[in-house]
Amino acid sequence: MNHDSLLMIFAKNPEIGKVKTRLAKTIGDKKALMIYLKLLEHTHAVADRVFADKAIFYSEKVQDFDILDYYKFPKFLQKGNNLGDKMERAFGQAFGQDYEKVIIIGSDCFELSTEIIEDAFTALDDHNVVVGPAEDGGYYLLGMDRHYPHLFKNKNWSTEDVFLDTLLDVKKLKLSYNILPTLNDVDEEKDLGELRNHLA
């Protein structure tokens, strides 16, 4: 493995009624969970082919056994009061272990590919920060060459301003940055695309 680079996956524990709640409003809790499991599987498969160490951070609890254990990613618990807190602490933990490049991804993007993540790691050779914007105004990927806690402060998480506010902070800190292609997170039924085939 490439032990100077770490790919962190942030995921919710796949429990009925607790994942993809906006999607569940139109397709129901059971189908929303099914879609989320497909997204988790896709994210793991894409991450598995990336030349870097990996770690998965769960929202509620770390289970001894879960359905994706065959990927053998080390499992951790997200710690903090809000999403920004949790991500900032995860980055702090990673850079505290002497990683030189750290990237975080969520588990909501079916368009995410191994190539995009590897492009992001490559971008960190020449840039301080790399960001993958999502069509809803957030981001599906954030990478850094060192710990920049300020990028997680004073954000309205899960709103359409997150990517722009993060970019403004990057510019205020005079950091160099690279922006990846804009991709679509799966949050509502209109976002399903080919995932709709799994609902039958």
Side-chain angles (χ1 to χ4, degrees), residues 107-130:
S107 44
D108 298 313
C109 187
F110 200 60
E111 295 179 353
L112 187 61
S113 67
T114 300
E115 292 72 29
I116 288 173
I117 299 171
E118 288 183 336
D119 285 349
F121 274 119
T122 301
L124 288 172
D125 289 337
D126 306 307
H127 301 86
N128 303 125
V129 175
V130 59

Side-chain angles (χ1 to χ4, degrees), residues 1 21 46 63 71 176 178 181:
M1 277 298 150
T21 49
V46 161
Q63 293 168 296
Y71 285 106
S176 59
N178 179 270

Side-chain angles (χ1 to χ4, degrees), residues 70-113:
Y70 54 87
Y71 285 106
K72 296 184 170 56
F73 297 168
K75 294 183 276 191
F76 301 93
L77 186 64
Q78 298 172 20
K79 293 176 182 172
N81 299 320
N82 58 40
L83 181 59
D85 251 3
K86 292 172 180 180
M87 289 196 291
E88 192 269 317
R89 287 190 190 197
F91 271 101
Q93 185 179 326
F95 283 114
Q97 293 172 352
D98 295 328
Y99 284 105
E100 293 173 17
K101 301 187 221 173
V102 181
I103 284 174
I104 194 167
I105 56 173
S107 44
D108 298 313
C109 187
F110 200 60
E111 295 179 353
L112 187 61
S113 67

Side-chain angles (χ1 to χ4, degrees), residues 84 87-88 91-92 95 100 124 127-130 142-153 155 166 169-170 173-176:
M87 289 196 291
E88 192 269 317
F91 271 101
F95 283 114
E100 293 173 17
L124 288 172
H127 301 86
N128 303 125
V129 175
V130 59
L142 180 69
M144 307 179 188
D145 66 347
R146 64 178 67 99
H147 192 201
Y148 301 111
H150 189 70
L151 300 187
F152 303 99
K153 310 295 182 199
K155 303 284 184 305
T166 302
D169 281 344
V170 167
L173 293 170
K174 295 185 167 55
L175 303 174
S176 59

Side-chain angles (χ1 to χ4, degrees), residues 8-111:
M8 305 187 295
I9 302 168
F10 258 40
K12 288 189 174 178
N13 293 85
E15 296 176 8
I16 194 159
K18 293 187 177 178
V19 294
K20 294 282 141 228
T21 49
R22 277 190 283 166
L23 180 62
K25 285 177 184 169
T26 57
I27 69 169
D29 286 340
K30 194 173 174 185
K31 285 183 177 176
L33 177 60
M34 203 160 61
I35 291 294
Y36 186 65
L37 288 171
K38 284 283 175 198
L39 286 166
L40 264 184
E41 162 64 33
H42 171 76
T43 305
H44 275 66
V46 161
D48 192 48
R49 296 190 293 270
V50 174
F51 187 65
D53 289 351
K54 289 99 183 179
I56 182 160
F57 287 76
Y58 279 113
S59 57
E60 302 292 331
K61 57 183 176 282
V62 173
Q63 293 168 296
D64 290 337
F65 173 78
D66 67 50
I67 56 166
L68 294 166
D69 273 355
Y70 54 87
Y71 285 106
K72 296 184 170 56
F73 297 168
K75 294 183 276 191
F76 301 93
L77 186 64
Q78 298 172 20
K79 293 176 182 172
N81 299 320
N82 58 40
L83 181 59
D85 251 3
K86 292 172 180 180
M87 289 196 291
E88 192 269 317
R89 287 190 190 197
F91 271 101
Q93 185 179 326
F95 283 114
Q97 293 172 352
D98 295 328
Y99 284 105
E100 293 173 17
K101 301 187 221 173
V102 181
I103 284 174
I104 194 167
I105 56 173
S107 44
D108 298 313
C109 187
F110 200 60
E111 295 179 353

